[in-house]
């Protein structure tokens, strides 16, 4: 007989774990199912090259976890999640110069003033303004049930800040960068920071990353997860279990069971079943749920919905990660004039906007020239 729960969460990534933690906190009997033998999804730390050298294989920089309520609501510090903070991001240039993004806004502006006092002033004004926007976006968008796009636009139209957000939603990161700054190094630094999640630099609609990324970097800082990124996920898993929930690994969900239009359970690859009295929620890709050979029988879905699912495509920019097993810390050429470069969590390499554009375009078709890759080197 299938074991029964109030709710089942399919996928033990950090979002699924956060969902399961809130449900368990509310007193609901919750089950989180993860296909792998480790929970965390993209918040993962594993040995890759040599024994004893652990790498964050996806999520590395943690700032958004502190911008919202999750870390504090779940009291994750009490379940083993700890962070260290230091100088956050550095960008180094071929001539040995650099720009460091500090949590302290004034220190960062002093870095920019080395190249342009006008850019330093513009950056300070931008971050101060966008910090207010971040609050608006978080309270009305990220941490509330999604509203129809037309209603969201109407809400934004009611304030000057909202109108500015709408403008950025129709702009590209490149357009906003060119409008705000004059020095080539400032532009390259800002643009690489805003697009470091892999969003195209020239894609209209991605301008919204400006108020979402930069204020958060200054308000919360960039945290280094002690023990690797996976420590955050493990703390979430402990919270779920401490509140009566169950986290089951090596649980490969193959089918979501549906009867009379209602999802009532899941079947695993080994044939075992778990049933949910109230609901099932999924923290996996849409095509894995509703696509051909997905968890839901497509005969139960309407044609328009299937068409929308079939239109889904992965992003056009390819990201890659370089893992280094080292006996000592890296000593950058730029540290000769800015010693904090060697203390930063992440170092970016890109000299000009033109070069950034070239590299992004090459990444779109998977033809990055040797020695000309753009990105960050993260040291853990």
């Amino acid at each position: 007989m299938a074991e029964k729960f109030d709710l089942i969460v399919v996928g033990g990534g950090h979002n699924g774990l956060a969902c399961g933690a809130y449900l368990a906190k509310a007193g609901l009997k919750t089950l989180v199912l993860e296909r792998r033998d480790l929970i965390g999804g993209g918040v993962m730390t594993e040995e890759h090259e040599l024994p004893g050298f652990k790498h964050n294989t996806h999520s590395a920089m943690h700032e958004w976890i502190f911008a919202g309520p999750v870390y504090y609501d779940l009291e994750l510090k009490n379940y083993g999640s700890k962070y260290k903070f230091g100088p956050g991001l550095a960008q180094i240039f071929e001539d040995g110069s650099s720009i460091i993004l500090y949590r302290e806004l004034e220190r960062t502006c002093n870095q920019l003033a080395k190249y342009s006092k006008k850019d330093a002033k513009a950056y300070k004004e931008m971050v101060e303004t966008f910090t207010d926007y971040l609050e608006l976006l978080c309270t009305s968008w990220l941490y509330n049930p999604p509203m129809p796009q037309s209603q969201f636009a109407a809400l934004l139209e009611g304030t000057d800040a909202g109108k500015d957000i709408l403008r950025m939603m129709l702009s590209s990161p490149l357009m906003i960068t060119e409008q705000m700054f004059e020095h080539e190094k400032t532009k390259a630094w800002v643009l690489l920071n805003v697009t470091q999640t892999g969003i195209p630099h020239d894609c209209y609609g991605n301008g919204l990353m400006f108020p979402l990324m930069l204020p958060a970097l200054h308000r919360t800082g960039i945290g280094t997860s002690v023990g690797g990124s996976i420590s955050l996920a493990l703390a979430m898993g402990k919270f779920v279990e401490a509140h009566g929930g169950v986290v089951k690994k090596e649980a490969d969900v193959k089918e979501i069971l549906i009867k009379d239009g209602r999802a009532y359970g899941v079947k695993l690859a080994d044939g075992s079943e778990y049933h949910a009295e109230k609901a099932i929620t999924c923290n996996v890709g849409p095509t894995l749920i509703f696509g051909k050979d997905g968890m839901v029988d497509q005969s139960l879905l309407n044609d328009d919905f299937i068409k929308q699912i079939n239109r889904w495509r992965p992003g056009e920019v390819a990201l890659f990660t370089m893992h280094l097993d080292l006996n000592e810390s890296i000593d950058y050429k730029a540290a000769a004039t800015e010693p904090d470069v060697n203390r930063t969590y992440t170092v970016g390499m890109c000299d000009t906007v033109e070069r950034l554009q070239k590299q992004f375009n090459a990444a779109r078709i998977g033809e990055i020239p040797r020695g000309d890759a753009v990105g960050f080197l993260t040291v853990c």
Side-chain angles (χ1 to χ4, degrees), residues 2-20:
E3 188 174 357
K4 293 184 178 181
F5 292 83
D6 290 322
L7 293 108
I8 295 174
V9 180
V10 178
H14 68 291
N15 289 316
L17 290 166
C19 177

Side-chain angles (χ1 to χ4, degrees), residues 90-109:
Q91 187 146 333
I92 57 178
F93 304 99
E94 288 187 357
D95 62 4
S97 61
S98 63
I99 299 175
I100 299 175
L101 189 152
Y102 290 97
R103 184 174 182 177
E104 299 84 4
L105 180 57
E106 287 295 337
R107 293 185 73 184
T108 303
C109 291

